Amino acid sequence: MPHPGSANSAPAAVRHVPATFGQVEIRQDPAWEQAFAAFLKDSERRQELLALFSRFSAGESAFDALMRRVAMRALCKRAGHGLQVGPNVVVKHPETFELGDCVFIGAQAMIQGRFDGTCKIGSHVWIGPQAYFDARNLVLEDYVGWGPGAKLLGSVHTGIPLDTPLIATGLEIKPVTVGFGADIGMNASILPGVHIGAHAIVGSGAVVTHDVPDYAIAAGVPARVIRDRRDKSLGQGEIRC
Amino acid sequence: MPHPGSANSAPAAVRHVPATFGQVEIRQDPAWEQAFAAFLKDSERRQELLALFSRFSAGESAFDALMRRVAMRALCKRAGHGLQVGPNVVVKHPETFELGDCVFIGAQAMIQGRFDGTCKIGSHVWIGPQAYFDARNLVLEDYVGWGPGAKLLGSVHTGIPLDTPLIATGLEIKPVTVGFGADIGMNASILPGVHIGAHAIVGSGAVVTHDVPDYAIAAGVPARVIRDRRDKSLGQGEIRC
Amino acid sequence: MPHPGSANSAPAAVRHVPATFGQVEIRQDPAWEQAFAAFLKDSERRQELLALFSRFSAGESAFDALMRRVAMRALCKRAGHGLQVGPNVVVKHPETFELGDCVFIGAQAMIQGRFDGTCKIGSHVWIGPQAYFDARNLVLEDYVGWGPGAKLLGSVHTGIPLDTPLIATGLEIKPVTVGFGADIGMNASILPGVHIGAHAIVGSGAVVTHDVPDYAIAAGVPARVIRDRRDKSLGQGEIRC
């Protein structure tokens, strides 16, 4: 078998580019678009709005993207300006969602609310593709970055009594909060009841079972705090984990 | 940059609610719906049935959900009552699937059978969103809970000879079984040949390379048994891992 | 609750079957299909081609699969023969993709290029379902196998200054390369700047933060090299990790 790929694999240089999403400034959506969403919200039942959203969920035209934003705005309890919703996103109980401005929801992500739950997502929050949120009692503060495939669980079965199948035992819904400017690594798992501090970083593939302090870097399974970002003796460059 | 999200992040109380899915009782699907599925199964070729299923795969109307259930019933070797199939689910070789009653398949999940394989899923099984099954020789017993994004592999390449690309070497298909009432954590990986015992719990993000005994809690990468749920000296409350 | 599943869970034998995908020989696509893709590429704008692709992204008919292949060929900088694209695949900036022959892209996968990036995928590459690629500077050499749900990150925020939200700090794009015949495990995470050697194996759920040598097996979080596949004293059979 030939091996032509090798010719392509010479080491390439690291490139430095400015942040794009995190630097975006809020611009008001056009008045007609806001009015369109308000009209839909007033005139359609929730089930029909969700069906409308799904009609445009897979499309890649500019019109599809517009209709996803409008339908989400009509579906959510509150949604700010500049919302972007990627293709194949799935939502449950969006009537409990409160979204800030400039929120990005990546392709194939799922946000699963609960009929009596709360889900607050701040402004300038970036949610990567294939993310999953069990958003029964969730707060993502402003400027949170959520890695591709990272997942969050918001509830746990009690497991009592022992000989009852776990999924038939009672459920504890525990609030999860992610602080201002925190960053959650690709494929990480955040478990029920956890608070991630402001400016904290959670490593890729980490499984976070306990609170992470402000400015901490936590990594591993289960996640341990491996560094304080404010400790200058350790250097700041190497934050992958 | 303002920090308005903080006002929302005061600690909220844990809520205890009854299990919903795990307590559902089996109700027969309407006779006409069963007859509709039987008619489709008799009159359409498999490829056309799968194409029919895909026409309704993304929709969020009640009709879309109904058509997913009917089409899956027509596609599967056997499917019980009360099947729920979320949006954007993908199936391969569903003609090898045998599903019990009250099975839930979450949004964006994929079940990948093999033309000559077997895939048996018991009653009251809950499969979370974004799950993946390499279901070549798979048994999920009754009341299994399968976490969001948890994945199962059913085969491994031999890797012999060494200088052949792994994906071109022979394949070993190894049966995987998950026992009654067991619970698989979010984002966990279950590897070929593994048996998960009845009432066992696999932690979030765990990579399970060896059998897990009945009532055991296994966690980590690779997963180790960290507790027996029947050991009362350790308490029962803290089962997250 | 009854326990009928148990009757099905008797241990079943391991089956050995030949590799299918890895042994496929390249066959030229029909001339008309190539001409169709060339016509689309010449006559449609990129945005319209992507919209066209999305019209067929969910379908399971043979025609849908054909249209996904044709549209991808028209969208990509280069695409070889025998391309297979599963349902619900999402691509960004496919104009930067260079695909070899016999490439398989599994269902629900996402490949996210960058407008000024490069993404080179060799021949006979198998990309599992639910995979994710941040493909800003990526090379997958020939005969790479990419496990279901495995994810790759191609860039990292600098995190400087500390009190700026991470997603608003500068971005470093670091090249990632995966060598000939290497195999990436299910749910693994590959981080920016990493080189995976030829014939290397990355275990399921591994988080790869550093280079992996040729023929090495790396596993864990973070991943460590646990074996050299050429070391015969350790046996070759047990490669799951």
Side-chain angles (χ1 to χ4, degrees):
Chain A
M1 295 154 186
H3 197 154
S6 292
N8 296 327
S9 60
V14 173
R15 281 203 298 149
H16 296 258
V17 298
T20 47
F21 175 80
Q23 296 284 2
V24 165
E25 300 207 355
I26 298 169
R27 291 198 308 185
Q28 296 238 330
D29 292 334
W32 67 264
E33 192 184 310
Q34 298 179 51
F36 182 14
F39 168 77
L40 288 173
K41 189 166 198 154
D42 286 343
S43 61
E44 299 288 337
R45 288 180 305 129
R46 194 186 298 161
Q47 178 69 47
E48 281 159 4
L49 284 172
L50 194 59
L52 182 73
F53 173 77
S54 73
R55 282 183 60 182
F56 301 96
S57 70
E60 291 273 18
S61 74
F63 181 69
D64 293 304
L66 166 68
M67 286 304 299
R68 287 197 290 268
R69 177 166 58 237
V70 168
M72 271 293 277
R73 192 174 212 146
L75 279 162
C76 290
K77 186 169 177 182
R78 185 173 67 83
H81 300 287
L83 174 65
Q84 297 179 69
V85 182
N88 293 351
V89 166
V90 174
V91 292
K92 293 286 175 198
H93 292 294
E95 72 277 11
T96 64
F97 298 177
E98 298 168 64
L99 311 181
D101 295 311
C102 294
V103 170
F104 174 92
I105 304 175
Q108 303 169 333
M110 178 171 188
I111 307 179
Q112 177 164 7
R114 184 182 150 105
F115 70 96
D116 60 357
T118 55
C119 171
K120 300 180 182 186
I121 297 179
S123 294
H124 303 281
V125 169
W126 188 87
I127 295 172
Q130 303 180 344
Y132 172 78
F133 296 90
D134 170 6
R136 302 172 197 228
N137 186 342
L138 172 65
V139 176
L140 304 183
E141 294 189 1
D142 294 349
Y143 286 97
V144 165
W146 191 271
K151 294 179 178 64
L152 182 147
L153 202 60
S155 57
V156 61
H157 289 282
T158 63
I160 300 171
L162 264 182
D163 55 354
T164 296
L166 200 76
I167 58 171
T169 65
L171 199 66
E172 293 183 327
I173 298 176
K174 300 183 179 183
V176 178
T177 55
V178 182
F180 178 88
D183 198 77
I184 309 300
M186 184 172 70
N187 247 354
S189 300
I190 311 296
L191 297 194
V194 162
H195 171 71
I196 309 288
H199 297 289
I201 297 177
V202 170
S204 290
V207 175
V208 183
T209 59
H210 293 87
D211 290 356
V212 176
D214 292 356
Y215 290 99
I217 300 181
V221 183
R224 314 272 182 211
V225 173
I226 58 173
R227 196 180 309 176
D228 186 315
R229 295 177 63 204
R230 294 164 300 191
D231 182 346
K232 292 182 181 173
S233 70
L234 294 166
Q236 296 180 335
E238 182 64 23
I239 57 172
R240 79 183 182 192
C241 34
Chain B
M1 292 151 186
H3 198 153
S6 292
N8 297 326
S9 60
V14 172
R15 280 205 297 148
H16 296 258
V17 297
T20 46
F21 175 80
Q23 295 285 4
V24 165
E25 300 208 356
I26 299 169
R27 290 199 308 184
Q28 297 238 329
D29 292 334
W32 67 264
E33 192 185 311
Q34 297 180 52
F36 181 15
F39 168 77
L40 289 173
K41 188 165 199 157
D42 286 345
S43 61
E44 299 290 335
R45 288 180 308 129
R46 195 185 299 163
Q47 178 69 47
E48 282 159 2
L49 283 173
L50 194 58
L52 182 72
F53 173 77
S54 72
R55 283 184 60 182
F56 301 96
S57 70
E60 289 274 20
S61 74
F63 181 69
D64 292 304
L66 166 69
M67 286 304 297
R68 287 197 290 269
R69 177 165 60 237
V70 167
M72 272 293 277
R73 192 175 212 146
L75 279 162
C76 290
K77 187 169 177 180
R78 184 172 67 82
H81 299 288
L83 175 64
Q84 297 179 70
V85 182
N88 293 351
V89 167
V90 174
V91 293
K92 292 286 175 198
H93 292 295
E95 73 276 10
T96 63
F97 298 177
E98 299 168 65
L99 311 181
D101 295 311
C102 294
V103 170
F104 174 91
I105 304 175
Q108 303 169 332
M110 178 172 187
I111 308 178
Q112 176 163 8
R114 185 181 150 105
F115 71 96
D116 59 357
T118 55
C119 171
K120 299 180 182 184
I121 296 179
S123 294
H124 303 280
V125 169
W126 187 87
I127 295 171
Q130 303 180 344
Y132 173 78
F133 297 89
D134 170 7
R136 302 172 196 229
N137 186 341
L138 173 65
V139 176
L140 303 184
E141 295 189 0
D142 294 351
Y143 285 97
V144 164
W146 191 271
K151 295 180 178 61
L152 183 148
L153 201 61
S155 57
V156 59
H157 289 282
T158 64
I160 300 170
L162 263 183
D163 56 355
T164 297
L166 199 76
I167 58 171
T169 64
L171 199 66
E172 293 183 327
I173 298 175
K174 299 182 179 183
V176 178
T177 55
V178 182
F180 178 89
D183 198 77
I184 309 299
M186 184 172 70
N187 248 354
S189 300
I190 311 296
L191 297 193
V194 162
H195 171 71
I196 309 288
H199 297 288
I201 296 176
V202 170
S204 289
V207 175
V208 183
T209 59
H210 293 89
D211 290 357
V212 175
D214 292 356
Y215 289 98
I217 300 180
V221 182
R224 314 272 182 211
V225 174
I226 58 173
R227 196 181 305 175
D228 186 316
R229 295 178 64 203
R230 293 164 300 190
D231 184 344
K232 292 181 181 173
S233 69
L234 294 167
Q236 295 181 335
E238 184 63 20
I239 57 172
R240 78 184 184 189
C241 33
Chain C
M1 294 155 185
H3 198 153
S6 293
N8 296 328
S9 62
V14 173
R15 282 203 298 150
H16 296 258
V17 298
T20 46
F21 175 80
Q23 295 285 2
V24 165
E25 301 207 354
I26 299 169
R27 290 197 308 185
Q28 298 239 329
D29 291 333
W32 67 264
E33 191 184 311
Q34 298 180 52
F36 181 15
F39 167 78
L40 289 172
K41 188 167 200 155
D42 286 343
S43 60
E44 299 290 338
R45 288 181 307 130
R46 196 185 298 162
Q47 178 69 48
E48 282 159 2
L49 283 172
L50 195 58
L52 182 73
F53 173 77
S54 73
R55 282 183 60 181
F56 301 96
S57 70
E60 289 275 19
S61 75
F63 181 69
D64 293 305
L66 167 68
M67 286 305 297
R68 286 197 291 268
R69 178 165 59 236
V70 168
M72 271 293 277
R73 194 175 212 144
L75 280 162
C76 291
K77 186 169 178 183
R78 184 173 67 81
H81 299 287
L83 175 65
Q84 297 179 71
V85 182
N88 293 351
V89 166
V90 174
V91 293
K92 293 285 175 198
H93 292 294
E95 72 276 11
T96 64
F97 298 176
E98 299 168 64
L99 311 180
D101 296 310
C102 294
V103 170
F104 174 92
I105 304 175
Q108 304 168 330
M110 178 172 188
I111 308 178
Q112 177 164 7
R114 185 182 149 103
F115 70 97
D116 59 357
T118 55
C119 171
K120 300 180 181 185
I121 297 179
S123 295
H124 303 282
V125 169
W126 187 88
I127 294 171
Q130 304 179 342
Y132 172 78
F133 296 89
D134 171 6
R136 302 169 197 230
N137 187 341
L138 173 65
V139 176
L140 304 184
E141 295 190 359
D142 295 349
Y143 285 97
V144 164
W146 191 272
K151 296 180 177 61
L152 183 147
L153 202 61
S155 58
V156 61
H157 289 282
T158 63
I160 299 170
L162 263 184
D163 55 356
T164 297
L166 199 78
I167 58 170
T169 64
L171 199 67
E172 293 183 328
I173 298 175
K174 300 182 177 182
V176 178
T177 55
V178 182
F180 179 90
D183 198 77
I184 309 300
M186 184 172 71
N187 247 353
S189 300
I190 311 295
L191 297 194
V194 162
H195 171 73
I196 309 288
H199 297 290
I201 296 176
V202 170
S204 289
V207 175
V208 184
T209 58
H210 293 88
D211 290 356
V212 175
D214 292 356
Y215 289 100
I217 300 181
V221 183
R224 314 271 182 212
V225 173
I226 57 173
R227 196 181 305 176
D228 186 316
R229 294 178 63 202
R230 293 163 300 193
D231 183 344
K232 293 183 180 172
S233 69
L234 294 166
Q236 296 181 333
E238 182 65 20
I239 57 173
R240 78 183 182 191
C241 35

